[in-house]
Amino acid sequence: MKTSDTRQKIVNTASNLFYKNGYNLTGINEIISEAGIAKATLYSHFKSKEDICIAYLQNMNETFLNDIEAFCRSKKKGKNQLLGIFDFLQSFFKEDDFNGCWCIRTVSEIPRENENILSEIQKQKRRFLDLIKSLVQDNLQLSAAKTESCSKHIYLMYESAVAESHLHKSDWPIKSAKNLIKEIL
């Protein structure tokens, strides 16, 4: 197996385990066993569990950003592309393995002083907010200040809908968030 294939296999395995079980409840030995690799192979690709976690976060985020942007941009121009953010979340919620936001799950498990993982999560959240801002700019005719404000409203409603739908095991928070944003728009 090529080095890049092995690395991706480790990341995919760790991603599944971290998202399903959490960062703290997933051990290095479990990743090694599930990936079917030797310990030396894992450590030739990653120096630490923290490095694997950062690769996991990046893997999840790249897939998420690509998928949600493609989904939203496939909608009719205008408010539909913005509301598509919540339609995407609705379909994500319906997946069998929906377990909320991987970033929030991870940040809740790491020590406050873990700057590397925290910084990665903050960067990912900024990128998502930038994507929302891009959708607002492309679909609404607003001033820069209103674009910023609208983007943050959508972002906060999305993030709360993710957390609350996971907590309640119901999609009513997603529907409510979408309706609130519909009123704002």
Side-chain angles (χ1 to χ4, degrees), residues 16-185:
N16 290 334
L17 292 169
F18 287 157
Y19 186 65
K20 178 181 170 192
N21 303 327
Y23 176 70
N24 288 335
L25 293 178
T26 302
I28 291 292
N29 290 335
E30 187 178 6
I31 295 168
I32 290 167
S33 175
E34 288 284 324
I37 58 169
K39 188 176 271 194
T41 302
L42 181 128
Y43 284 111
S44 71
H45 293 281
F46 298 97
K47 294 178 186 168
S48 66
K49 184 178 175 185
E50 181 180 293
D51 289 345
I52 298 169
C53 183
I54 290 171
Y56 148 67
L57 292 167
Q58 291 169 343
N59 182 58
M60 295 291 282
N61 197 57
E62 285 306 311
T63 301
F64 167 73
L65 288 177
N66 290 335
D67 290 352
I68 196 168
E69 181 170 18
F71 182 89
C72 291
R73 297 223 185 256
S74 74
K75 301 284 185 186
K76 184 179 175 189
K77 279 274 287 161
K79 295 175 184 177
N80 290 325
Q81 286 192 7
L82 298 168
L83 296 173
I85 292 169
F86 299 95
D87 297 333
F88 181 86
L89 178 55
Q90 182 75 33
S91 63
F92 180 36
F93 173 79
K94 289 179 181 176
E95 292 180 7
D96 290 338
D97 65 345
F98 178 76
N99 216 1
C101 175
W102 56 91
C103 290
I104 299 304
R105 285 179 55 86
T106 304
V107 80
S108 71
E109 294 186 64
I110 63 168
R112 176 179 279 180
E113 55 278 350
N114 188 322
E115 289 295 320
N116 292 333
I117 293 175
L118 180 61
S119 175
E120 179 61 35
I121 291 170
Q122 289 171 337
K123 180 173 80 175
Q124 290 183 12
K125 294 299 184 179
R126 282 190 303 273
R127 286 185 63 203
F128 181 44
L129 185 55
D130 288 344
L131 171 61
I132 294 169
K133 188 175 178 181
S134 172
L135 287 167
V136 170
Q137 288 170 331
D138 293 348
N139 288 284
L140 302 176
Q141 305 304 314
L142 301 175
S143 67
K146 289 217 184 258
T147 295
E148 189 73 26
S149 175
C150 183
S151 301
K152 287 179 178 176
H153 286 113
I154 294 169
Y155 170 83
L156 289 173
M157 291 309 303
Y158 179 91
E159 291 295 329
S160 66
V162 172
E164 294 302 310
S165 62
H166 180 245
L167 172 69
H168 294 284
K169 307 294 184 220
S170 174
D171 65 352
W172 70 259
I174 300 166
K175 292 175 181 174
S176 294
K178 181 179 178 180
N179 287 334
L180 283 169
I181 293 303
K182 211 183 279 187
E183 288 178 27
I184 291 171
L185 298 178

